[in-house]
Amino acid sequence: MLRRNVLLSGLVVGALLLAACSSGSSDTTTTVTDAPVSGGTDVTIKDFAFGPDALVISVGDTVLWTNDNSSPTHTSTSEDGLWDSGDIPTGSRFEHTFEEAGTFSYICTIHPSMTATITVSG
Ligand SMILES: [Cu+2]
């Protein structure tokens, strides 16, 4: 058991050394931000509306819906069945990543007069 642990820690150290070497030879700078989703695009649900109600994004983008603190429960539900958030309570968020191009309409199933579109360009 002890021998196995020594072997394992040797492997870990080796891996760390390798990682240190490869990061040392790279000049890529990684910036850490407090953004909730990198490359994401935000929709705010407020005053019984999606804002913006027409959003243009790229394939692979993640859209983050945030239900405003003053707003009751809503949903973000694709009319094509592509996504369905279920209930998004006050102050909560939902995200969906778009993997195909097209124009997609969605509604709030609780308030069907709330409509909006996401256009995904390839
Ligand atoms: Cu709603």
Side-chain angles (χ1 to χ4, degrees):
M1 196 55 158
L2 182 63
R3 191 189 181 109
R4 192 174 182 191
N5 282 340
V6 168
L7 186 65
L8 274 177
S9 46
L11 284 173
V12 169
V13 169
L16 285 175
L17 285 175
L18 273 176
C21 287
S22 50
S23 68
S25 62
S26 163
D27 55 4
T28 303
T29 305
T30 303
T31 307
V32 177
T33 70
D34 57 0
V37 179
S38 89
T41 309
D42 293 340
V43 174
T44 300
I45 310 174
K46 191 178 180 183
D47 299 331
F48 293 89
F50 297 104
D53 63 355
L55 193 63
V56 180
I57 61 169
S58 301
V59 168
D61 280 353
T62 298
V63 174
L64 178 71
W65 284 266
T66 301
N67 190 0
D68 189 72
N69 283 327
S70 61
S71 203
T73 296
H74 298 288
T75 78
S76 166
T77 305
S78 160
E79 294 194 299
D80 306 314
L82 210 63
W83 74 92
D84 183 7
S85 66
D87 288 354
I88 309 173
T90 305
S92 295
R93 305 192 284 191
F94 168 73
E95 63 180 60
H96 178 75
T97 301
F98 290 79
E99 304 290 3
E100 56 178 304
T103 298
F104 307 104
S105 300
Y106 65 97
I107 63 168
C108 169
T109 56
I110 302 168
H111 315 100
S113 63
M114 294 173 60
T115 63
T117 61
I118 305 281
T119 298
V120 185
S121 62

